[in-house]
Amino acid sequence: MNFSLPFLESSPKPIIIAEIGAKYASLDIMQQMVQAAKECGADLVKFQTYQAETISTPGAAFTMEDGSIISQYDFFKAYELSEADHAALDGFCRDIGIGWLSTPSHPNDVTLLERFDPPAYKTGSDDLTNLPFLRHIAEQGRPMIVSTGMCTLGEVEKAVETIVATGNRNLVLLHCVVSYPARREDANLRAIQTLQQAFGFPVGLSDHTTDEFTSVLATALGAVVIEKHLTLDHALKLPDHQASLDPAAFQRLVERVRLVPTALGDGVKRILPTEEKWRRAARKSLFAIVDIPAGTRIEPDHLTIRRPSDGIHPHHLELVVGRSARTDISAGTLIAWNMLSD
């Protein structure tokens, strides 16, 4: 099953998504983050599209990373993006040449995003069991990237069945651990292979750890998408910042993830051009360890094995032992076939 975004068909895999979110105090900061993502080599940036009135209930509590408790409604109201914000971000992304997508949280958000012809929809782990919403998104006919954090395999199965039932099979599942930040020991990256085997769709990783390590490992396990939070500066103390990378660290993630397919290669065992000189210099040959007079029958204790490989290779030892020296052979001499009797 191939996942494709039309303008990324020639891009190396995995596709790297810089999670910008909507939790930033100003449009200017968000545009700076988009610029940073572009410069770091991300393929896409991702925002979050929601309205406080449709994502939360007034009075519901929310525990922040610092332990403080605030109203969910107030939190989301402070960071929601307007239609004008979306238009400004869309124009900025187009100007600098990077694609974008977003995570909607309500059908109204999907209606808004449809106006911008998104290349795909990303859904959060919080909506993995929101089957009516997944169905609504799938019916738009666009590719879907679906996070699967804090759920069972059975819940993923229901989500996949719901999406596929609409006829939309352009689906990527993202393994995810919902914790900000997530610990390496909780990463459970083998779940990527479990999801691949269980559902037959491409699988990626939404990485909430504090560095690039798990993203690199996930790539080696076949992840086709890597989603990672980006921040301009951890000193900003913005939401999700502990699970975010600053631009220098994000660029390092991109570089190391991109190296993985190259390092894995095609699996064919062959002699590389760069190895040829080492085959001659580092492999070994048969040498005389003592003086061998002409006519002497060669015995094993007449010989030693040393570098380089310019002479008779050690695997021919049994063909050399038992022959006679045609001429005197001095100790330390590289043995050649023309020095031996037939």
Side-chain angles (χ1 to χ4, degrees):
M1 186 71 62
N2 293 319
F3 175 77
S4 64
L5 295 174
F7 58 91
L8 287 176
E9 288 178 352
S10 61
S11 295
K13 299 296 184 293
I15 294 170
I16 299 176
I17 301 174
E19 165 70 60
I20 306 297
K23 306 186 188 73
Y24 302 96
S26 72
L27 193 60
D28 178 64
I29 290 178
M30 294 188 74
Q31 290 175 336
Q32 289 180 48
M33 296 180 70
V34 172
Q35 181 69 50
K38 169 71 173 179
E39 293 173 358
C40 288
D43 297 300
L44 294 164
V45 292
K46 190 185 80 67
F47 309 120
Q48 294 179 20
T49 302
Y50 55 73
Q51 293 179 306
E53 290 80 3
T54 57
I55 196 174
S56 62
T57 301
F62 187 87
T63 303
M64 300 293 289
E65 292 172 348
D66 62 4
S68 62
I69 299 176
I70 66 169
S71 159
Q72 287 198 32
Y73 180 88
D74 292 344
F75 174 83
F76 287 114
K77 194 66 178 176
Y79 296 112
E80 67 182 15
L81 296 173
S82 67
E83 182 173 355
D85 292 333
H86 282 78
L89 290 168
D90 176 65
F92 186 78
C93 289
R94 291 177 185 275
D95 286 344
I96 69 170
I98 189 169
W100 70 274
L101 66 162
S102 190
T103 296
S105 294
H106 187 273
N108 291 349
D109 306 328
V110 177
T111 299
L112 170 60
L113 290 171
E114 280 293 306
R115 297 169 190 165
F116 297 97
D117 191 24
Y121 282 106
K122 164 71 199 311
T123 61
S125 297
D126 55 332
D127 277 319
L128 192 279
T129 58
N130 188 351
L131 302 184
F133 186 49
L134 293 182
R135 183 180 302 111
H136 178 75
I137 295 175
E139 288 171 348
Q140 309 308 309
R142 299 184 188 273
M144 292 180 66
I145 306 172
V146 177
S147 278
T148 63
M150 56 186 182
C151 68
T152 66
L153 198 64
E155 289 171 335
V156 179
E157 182 178 20
K158 290 180 180 178
V160 170
E161 289 175 348
T162 298
I163 293 167
V164 170
T166 69
N168 189 341
R169 299 186 61 86
N170 207 349
L171 171 65
V172 169
L173 300 172
L174 294 191
H175 173 54
C176 177
V177 175
V178 181
S179 183
Y180 301 89
R183 303 183 305 170
R184 283 182 179 177
E185 55 266 37
D186 291 334
N188 191 25
L189 293 178
R190 293 189 189 278
I192 292 173
Q193 297 170 318
T194 299
L195 291 169
Q196 290 169 336
Q197 294 165 2
F199 303 110
F201 287 99
V203 179
L205 175 70
S206 181
D207 184 1
H208 293 164
T209 60
T210 58
D211 58 26
E212 78 281 2
F213 181 73
T214 50
S215 288
V216 173
L217 288 182
T219 303
L221 289 172
V224 300
V225 171
I226 297 293
E227 179 187 61
K228 188 77 172 181
H229 287 255
L230 173 68
T231 184
L232 288 177
D233 188 343
H234 287 101
L236 294 173
K237 301 297 183 184
L238 292 165
D240 296 346
H241 76 280
Q242 290 181 329
S244 302
L245 300 183
D246 63 25
F250 199 97
Q251 184 171 0
R252 184 167 61 247
L253 177 146
V254 172
E255 291 170 351
R256 293 182 177 180
V257 162
R258 293 287 183 242
L259 281 174
V260 171
T262 301
L264 289 176
D266 60 11
V268 177
K269 185 60 180 171
R270 62 169 70 86
I271 299 167
L272 298 176
T274 188
E275 294 180 307
E276 289 292 351
K277 68 176 182 180
W278 293 107
R279 279 170 61 85
R280 190 186 69 79
R283 286 192 171 180
K284 298 176 180 178
S285 301
L286 300 179
F287 286 79
I289 197 172
V290 296
D291 291 335
I292 306 173
T296 302
R297 185 176 184 275
I298 305 295
E299 300 292 341
D301 58 4
H302 294 158
L303 303 172
T304 190
I305 298 172
R306 296 174 180 168
R307 294 185 179 190
S309 63
D310 294 337
I312 300 174
H313 286 203
H315 59 261
H316 292 312
L317 176 64
E318 293 181 358
L319 297 178
V320 173
V321 171
R323 298 194 183 201
S324 297
R326 286 181 179 231
T327 60
D328 292 340
I329 303 174
S330 301
T333 300
L334 177 72
I335 302 296
W337 289 113
N338 60 10
M339 299 176 184
L340 309 174
S341 63
D342 296 332

